[in-house]
Amino acid sequence: MIIATSSLELIRADGTKLYIEIEPVTYQEEGKYVYTGVYQLQATRHNDPAGEYTEDNPGDTTEIGSFAHKQDDKYEWAYIGDFLDEEEQSQIADHIQRLEDTDADTASFYVQAFYHGGMNSFEVKAQEGSYTVAYDGNVIAELQHNEKWEQVNGDPLEEDVFVSIKHAIEAKFE
């Protein structure tokens, strides 16, 4: 199962798109993160971050409910909220199930960090001995951990981004 924030471009019934952040709810037990089977859902402005508030452009970040499934049956799920219709819920279920079906050790995962004036997602993928970081589909950095974390390729990441990604990697792999 995946224990990392993920994002999805949701296509609404009227054809508009909404950017959804899907964050697993976890707790720590004996120094390890334990997955609860629940995901918090947030909508972020998709095409027009400075635009007027509308249902399709709900603000910088808006809580839109929770998505949960039984840990022993990921195909049995429930949406707790009133923002998404059945088809939109189905898109989220499909997205989460695809992520959970991927081998967690070789899959990329997503990290949220404050970047370019708002919360953004970065895709992190483990390579042999390093981690590539992509933003908006383009690899922007490569990180390695020898005696300490360091960026070995790309333009220097902002400190908040570097720290957020470093912590997410440590939580996932170490």
Side-chain angles (χ1 to χ4, degrees), residues 125-131 142-144:
K125 184 166 186 159
Q127 305 289 328
E128 275 190 42
S130 68
Y131 301 89
E142 182 179 358
L143 306 180
Q144 285 183 346

Side-chain angles (χ1 to χ4, degrees), residues 57-102:
N57 200 22
D60 293 329
T61 302
T62 302
E63 296 288 333
I64 61 169
S66 298
F67 183 90
H69 66 76
K70 292 183 177 181
Q71 285 194 252
D72 60 340
D73 185 0
K74 66 182 174 189
Y75 298 102
E76 192 171 327
W77 55 272
Y79 170 66
I80 301 143
D82 58 8
F83 189 85
L84 302 172
D85 66 23
E86 290 288 326
E87 171 56 32
E88 294 164 348
Q89 293 172 40
S90 181
Q91 288 180 56
I92 290 173
D94 290 344
H95 176 79
I96 292 172
Q97 289 161 359
R98 277 194 310 275
L99 289 174
E100 291 179 345
D101 286 341
T102 303

Side-chain angles (χ1 to χ4, degrees), residues 108-163:
S108 61
F109 61 98
Y110 293 86
V111 177
Q112 283 188 310
F114 192 78
Y115 185 65
H116 288 176
M119 286 303 274
N120 286 282
S121 286
F122 296 85
E123 182 179 17
V124 178
K125 184 166 186 159
Q127 305 289 328
E128 275 190 42
S130 68
Y131 301 89
T132 58
V133 179
Y135 174 73
D136 200 21
N138 298 309
V139 174
I140 61 169
E142 182 179 358
L143 306 180
Q144 285 183 346
H145 184 255
N146 296 314
E147 291 183 22
K148 66 176 188 161
W149 282 101
E150 60 186 354
Q151 182 176 340
V152 295
N153 284 317
D155 291 334
L157 293 173
E158 294 175 8
E159 185 66 19
D160 286 347
V161 175
F162 181 81
V163 169

